Amino acid sequence: MSDEDAVDAVVSAWHRERPDLDLAAIGVAGRMGRLALVLGPAQERVFGKFGLQRGEFDVLAALRRSGKPYTLIPSELSATLMMSRAGMTSRLDRLEKAGFVERALDPNDRRSFRIRLTDKGFDAVDAAMTEHTANVSELLSGLSGKELGLLDDVLRKLLGHLDPQV
């Protein structure tokens, strides 16, 4: 297997056409984009087995990670998932209709609701997370443990630079 890939061909062509440009970052960004195109659908297939879209899995996972009683208010979910409250409402509507979550008035603030993971939602997110973890581990199995740690460190640094809120 050659160490060169399709991104190298693109960068090489640009070097030929525009030798005045420093293209080091173009190769990295190109590979990151290609990885997103490969990883995204592979992860979506797992979520789909459980009747979930990625965003719905994210909501259930946030509730599950919150610990007992697996309950959050919509604004906490929106902040955790970095999404608008309107977008959160539509996700919650779908999840409630599927029986994965339920809404109840917040006893501390009757103007607000609390979102609780149902037993069905708990079982679904636990099963999906188990398969998701195995799937991602397999997808990244081409890297050693040391390489995974290094990549994680570098990506954390880059994310901190691009989005300090993360």
Side-chain angles (χ1 to χ4, degrees), residues 88-165:
M88 180 58 65
T89 298
S90 65
R91 280 188 191 169
L92 292 174
D93 288 344
R94 289 190 305 270
L95 289 167
E96 185 176 35
K97 185 176 180 182
F100 292 131
V101 301
E102 56 188 24
R103 290 177 168 111
L105 281 176
D106 185 339
N108 300 322
D109 180 359
R110 300 203 40 93
R111 297 168 297 160
S112 181
F113 287 91
R114 297 196 65 75
I115 309 301
R116 188 182 73 76
L117 191 61
T118 63
D119 290 343
K120 179 180 178 182
F122 183 97
D123 292 344
V125 73
D126 264 19
M129 185 62 188
T130 298
E131 191 162 333
H132 174 54
T133 300
N135 183 46
V136 171
S137 294
E138 176 61 29
L139 290 167
L140 299 182
S141 66
L143 300 176
S144 70
K146 184 176 180 179
E147 289 168 330
L148 277 174
L150 179 60
L151 180 59
D152 192 37
D153 290 343
V154 170
L155 292 174
R156 182 182 302 105
K157 181 177 180 178
L158 181 58
L159 272 173
H161 170 72
L162 295 175
D163 188 358
Q165 298 175 19

Side-chain angles (χ1 to χ4, degrees), residues 41-54 100 124 127-128 131-132 134-135:
Q43 293 174 10
E44 289 288 346
R45 280 191 294 279
V46 169
F47 302 139
K49 290 180 182 181
F50 299 92
L52 299 168
Q53 297 172 6
R54 171 183 289 284
F100 292 131
E131 191 162 333
H132 174 54
N135 183 46

